[in-house]
Each structure stands twice: as C-alpha cells, then as structure tokens.
Amino acid sequence: MARRTVRQFEGKGFGLFHDREERPNITDFRLHSHSDLYEIILYLEGECVYNVDGNLYKTNPHDFIFSKPFELHMVELNPQVCYDRVILYINKNFFREHNCGKYLKILENRVPGIGNRIMAGMTDGALEECMRRIEKYSKAGEYDIAEHCVVEFLYLMNEVTEHEGDVYTKNERIRNIIIYINEHLTDELNLDLIADKFYISKNHMCSMFKKCTGHTINSFINYKRVLYARELCAKGQSLMQASVNSGFNSYSSFYRAYQKYIGTAPREDKS
C-alpha cells in the first residue's frame, strides 16, 4: 500500500502535473490515500478502472475522478496501453486560505467510495477547459493566476448536479463487507465476526476479499485504522488517544501498523 510521492508548488496549496506513460508500470499504482490532499484526476487515455474504497469506476476519456483525504484509492490499468492523465492536488488548507470552504461540498459530503466521478460532458467541457488553464498557467510559472483558476475549478465542480455514473464492484458481498468495516472501524472487528455477519465461510470470505481488493481483510482494517488515527491526530488528539479511538487494542499494535503502512514511526510523523 505504498504511496507515490506528491509535490505541491512551493508556497502554494496546490500542485498540478500532466503524466503520460506509454507503458505504465503497474507496480507504481498501489492502494493508497493522502492525509491532507484532495486528488482530482482528468483521465485522458488508457484502459483503466479506478478503485475507490471498494467501488470501481470504468472510466472514459475526459472523465474526472476525485478522492478526499484518507479515502483509499488506486487505478487498475492495462500496462500495454498508454496511460495519460492530468492530476490536480489541493491541500486542505487551501480552502481556508482562499475563503472557499463552501466548495468542499462535492468533495466531502459523500460516503467513502461513492460519488467519486464526474463523467465527460456533464459540464459541457467547462471543467476540463478550466483544468487546462490551470495547467497552462502553472507551466508558465504564473502560479498566482493558476491559483485563481483552481478556485474557479472548484466552483464548477460544485455546479455539477449529477455525478458518479456507472459504478460497479467485482463482488457485491465484498462491497457490503467494506461498507460494514467503514461503519464499524472503531468497534471490535475480526474474521469470525464478519463472516458470521454475512453468512459466509471465513476461508471463502478471505479468498474473495483478497481477489477483489488485492489485500487481506486484516491488512485493510489496520490500514484504515491507521489513516483514521492520523486524522484524529491532525485534529489534536495525542497518539495514545488516537490509537485507542481508531480501534487498536494496544499502542504497540498501532505502532507496528503505522510503521508498516506509513513508513515512519508515529512520533516522527503525526500528520
């Protein structure tokens, strides 16, 4: 569940990059999340399915896919086909600094994994045209102008009254298990309990979950809890409080999980 390096423009609360890979390396695209960034992707070319918290979005050129902090996501793609996209990262602080918190609505007022796509044509091209202007001004080093365009882009996103489109899952029962985990993350969760809840054998459940998500149920739960603990820390809780309130039964288990999924000791990175 490694995370790719994300860069922001110096002194700015956003970053934008146009990435085109003729033969993408699928090992670069793992399940990940960001603790303080909103990620918005303009998909241009490729054979891709975006996985956001267990929901799968079959994408078409000029679709937008977006995720919020701590929302798990990854792209499943054909490595033999060019993958072309424009990625806009917006820091959480951007909304406060630019007095545009009202534009968080489309990004935040969602159940994880639901409503993550704006399909091509829903904004008559206005959203993509605005993204292109952000790219143009950023390339020219005119970051102040690009910054204003980011606010306009957020406004246009929130003008979309319908989004998401055709969402599917490889297995509806696994999707329901993910929803259950999300809703009971801080409660006691174990394989026997979940299997009994969904009237399925534990071995079959584990096999299906691994096949559909690429991860074991326990690793998924622990990663989600680590992300939630980071969110609680960002809101002012101590590491000990956050470890308990995110569902870990001991600080040592939290510490090990944090190091495994984040790559640093928690006292070294409380964000």
Side-chain angles (χ1 to χ4, degrees), residues 161-180:
T161 56
E162 291 184 47
H163 51 100
E164 184 176 305
D166 181 25
V167 181
Y168 75 100
T169 179
K170 293 178 181 177
N171 187 296
E172 190 62 32
R173 183 173 284 179
I174 296 304
R175 171 58 192 158
N176 290 334
I177 289 173
I178 290 174
I179 292 174
Y180 181 81

Side-chain angles (χ1 to χ4, degrees), residues 68-124:
K68 59 186 175 181
F70 304 107
E71 195 168 32
L72 290 172
H73 58 281
M74 65 179 292
V75 61
E76 303 172 11
L77 47 79
N78 182 346
Q80 302 303 314
V81 177
C82 173
Y83 179 36
D84 190 11
R85 72 279 191 203
V86 181
I87 310 171
L88 174 63
Y89 297 106
I90 306 176
N91 193 283
K92 290 194 297 186
N93 294 331
F94 183 94
F95 296 86
R96 174 179 50 82
E97 294 169 355
H98 292 81
N99 196 29
C100 59
K102 60 185 177 182
Y103 298 146
L104 280 167
K105 181 179 178 181
I106 191 172
L107 297 168
E108 283 288 351
N109 294 356
R110 303 179 291 102
V111 175
I114 300 296
N116 295 83
R117 175 169 62 171
I118 296 175
M119 299 181 70
M122 285 185 172
T123 60
D124 297 323

Side-chain angles (χ1 to χ4, degrees), residues 157-203:
M157 280 189 73
N158 280 270
E159 286 293 289
V160 179
T161 56
E162 291 184 47
H163 51 100
E164 184 176 305
D166 181 25
V167 181
Y168 75 100
T169 179
K170 293 178 181 177
N171 187 296
E172 190 62 32
R173 183 173 284 179
I174 296 304
R175 171 58 192 158
N176 290 334
I177 289 173
I178 290 174
I179 292 174
Y180 181 81
I181 290 172
N182 286 335
E183 292 178 346
H184 297 83
L185 192 61
T186 61
D187 300 336
E188 180 182 355
L189 288 172
N190 59 62
L191 298 180
D192 290 323
L193 183 152
I194 298 172
D196 289 345
K197 174 71 178 179
F198 290 92
Y199 305 101
I200 185 175
S201 77
K202 182 169 66 174
N203 290 338

Side-chain angles (χ1 to χ4, degrees), residues 251-262:
Y251 186 80
S252 60
S253 61
F254 162 70
Y255 188 96
R256 289 192 300 270
Y258 196 104
Q259 282 193 310
K260 178 178 180 180
Y261 298 119
I262 305 303

Side-chain angles (χ1 to χ4, degrees), residues 50-70:
Y50 286 90
N51 183 332
V52 188
D53 249 280
N55 268 340
L56 305 179
Y57 295 84
K58 292 180 177 178
T59 49
N60 296 303
H62 311 290
D63 283 354
F64 283 90
I65 297 287
F66 51 92
S67 58
K68 59 186 175 181
F70 304 107

